[in-house]
Amino acid sequence: MARGLGKGIGALFPTEAIDNLQTNEDQIEKIDLQKLVANPFQPRKTFEDDAIEELAESIKEHGIIQPIVVRKKGKKFEIVVGERRFRAAKLANLNEIPAIVRNLTEDQMMELAILENLQREDLTPIEEAEAYQSLIEKLNFTQEELANRLGKSRPYITNHLRLLTLPDDVRELVNTGELSMGHGRTLLGLKNKRRITEVAEKVIKHGLNVRQLEALIKQLNEEVSRETEKPVKKDIFVQATETQLRDYFGTNVQIKKSKNKGKIEIEFYSEDDLERILEILQLEE
């Protein structure tokens, strides 16, 4: 699935520093790798080791063809564009790397880092969503405006942003590829949001595909609907019996009746509490 920008960096951010990120007049410097630090606005959280190793082998054979872009920060240089090349250069045991030094504000640096990564095709769905969220918050775009600027549909943007409402541990499962974006979107349909992590773990354990997960979510939501149906008011005799049973067992007891059947629920809060109740019922071996 291609994620390239529809109108390019210049169309999206027509500022001089961004339009002229790299020109024929640029001075390419050799910078010590020890002086380089990662871009704090880097949207990419995961770097595949195999891809970095492959790039490192290419660098050993052909050198670094395209310089990275950095900005001066104190005695160090922050990487604006080219962190993969920087990591691969370290792996290739280089001491220096060709770089173009740019004077950029933090806003411009963030914009460039996000846009450069959005033009690549290997961002995870979570990283892509976080990039969109950063652009919306920093530049005050609506989802509609951002979609138009990037040449995407609004549902495409919205579906990615919705992933950010997943619990952190489930977001990480999507980020590492253990769950697909389809799994993540389907999990958001669960009515009982507190069970999302539990269900996500079940998906991984049993290798459920998205269609199977949809069926499971439907079943769980139907159970929630039944549980939240308006309770029938209990008659005075049932309430009195519940009170007697609560006093007898020393815990909460509920009597639930339907048209043709009923059940008694006795709550316990620990293994010891369960053993105590079983002793009362004389069921403990």
Side-chain angles (χ1 to χ4, degrees):
M1 176 171 55
R3 298 192 181 100
L5 296 181
K7 300 184 180 181
I9 291 178
L12 185 54
F13 298 105
T15 63
E16 182 178 353
I18 295 174
D19 278 339
N20 300 317
L21 180 60
Q22 186 172 341
T23 71
N24 294 329
E25 299 176 358
D26 280 322
Q27 295 288 327
I28 298 177
E29 304 179 22
K30 292 277 190 175
I31 295 181
D32 191 327
L33 291 180
Q34 299 298 322
K35 293 184 178 181
L36 292 171
V37 294
N39 185 340
F41 305 109
Q42 168 65 258
R44 188 184 304 277
K45 303 297 187 296
T46 56
F47 291 83
E48 294 185 7
D49 292 340
D50 291 346
I52 297 295
E53 289 174 9
E54 184 178 337
L55 182 55
E57 290 301 316
S58 175
I59 287 173
K60 287 178 184 178
E61 184 174 353
H62 305 290
I64 296 177
I65 299 172
Q66 183 179 10
I68 66 173
V69 179
V70 301
R71 77 162 184 165
K72 193 83 163 59
K73 185 68 179 280
K75 294 182 179 180
K76 297 284 187 177
F77 294 88
E78 289 181 329
I79 299 169
V80 180
V81 174
E83 187 162 342
R84 289 176 72 255
R85 276 165 280 164
F86 163 68
R87 289 171 179 251
K90 287 179 66 177
L91 192 60
N93 295 317
L94 298 188
N95 295 318
E96 298 177 323
I97 191 170
I100 297 167
V101 182
R102 279 296 190 185
N103 293 319
L104 299 171
T105 66
E106 289 201 346
D107 283 358
Q108 291 170 333
M109 184 176 178
M110 181 206 74
E111 293 161 7
L112 283 171
I114 291 173
L115 290 167
E116 191 265 346
N117 277 284
L118 283 175
Q119 290 186 96
R120 302 183 60 84
E121 296 187 3
D122 55 353
L123 281 183
T124 70
I126 295 296
E127 288 172 340
E128 190 173 351
E130 289 172 340
Y132 294 147
Q133 186 65 32
S134 294
L135 290 172
I136 287 171
E137 291 177 351
K138 198 71 178 179
L139 303 177
N140 297 315
F141 282 155
T142 64
Q143 290 185 29
E144 187 72 33
E145 289 170 338
L146 183 60
N148 290 335
R149 295 282 188 122
L150 298 180
K152 305 288 187 184
S153 69
R154 180 173 178 177
Y156 182 92
I157 301 293
T158 301
N159 286 332
H160 277 78
L161 291 173
R162 289 183 66 231
L163 295 176
L164 301 183
T165 64
L166 288 167
D168 289 345
D169 51 354
V170 178
R171 282 173 58 172
E172 184 58 25
L173 292 173
V174 176
N175 212 30
T176 57
E178 294 177 78
L179 293 177
S180 69
M181 179 175 174
H183 284 119
R185 288 175 55 190
T186 303
L187 285 167
L188 288 170
L190 194 61
K191 288 183 179 179
N192 187 347
K193 303 302 182 186
R194 290 175 296 181
R195 297 193 65 184
I196 287 180
T197 297
E198 170 199 337
V199 176
E201 292 171 350
K202 184 176 293 187
V203 169
I204 294 172
K205 181 178 180 180
H206 298 287
L208 302 183
N209 59 34
V210 174
R211 190 171 295 277
Q212 290 169 325
L213 175 58
E214 288 172 349
L216 176 59
I217 296 290
K218 182 179 179 182
Q219 176 187 334
L220 294 173
N221 285 345
E222 288 174 352
E223 291 175 3
V224 169
S225 296
R226 286 195 294 270
E227 290 171 0
T228 56
E229 288 176 357
K230 188 175 180 179
V232 178
K233 188 174 181 180
K234 297 174 182 176
D235 63 47
I236 190 170
F237 300 106
V238 171
Q239 292 180 40
T241 304
E242 282 183 339
T243 300
Q244 287 180 314
L245 291 173
R246 287 184 191 125
D247 292 341
Y248 183 71
F249 288 107
T251 189
N252 186 42
V253 177
Q254 290 192 53
I255 299 174
K256 297 183 177 181
K257 296 175 63 179
S258 60
K259 186 174 181 181
N260 298 316
K261 62 179 181 180
K263 61 181 178 180
I264 298 174
E265 293 183 354
I266 304 172
E267 293 184 3
F268 63 92
Y269 304 96
S270 66
E271 292 295 329
D272 291 339
D273 200 24
L274 174 59
E275 289 179 8
R276 178 185 65 79
I277 293 170
L278 293 177
E279 286 178 2
I280 295 174
L281 292 169
Q282 298 183 339
L283 295 178
E284 181 72 8
E285 295 182 359

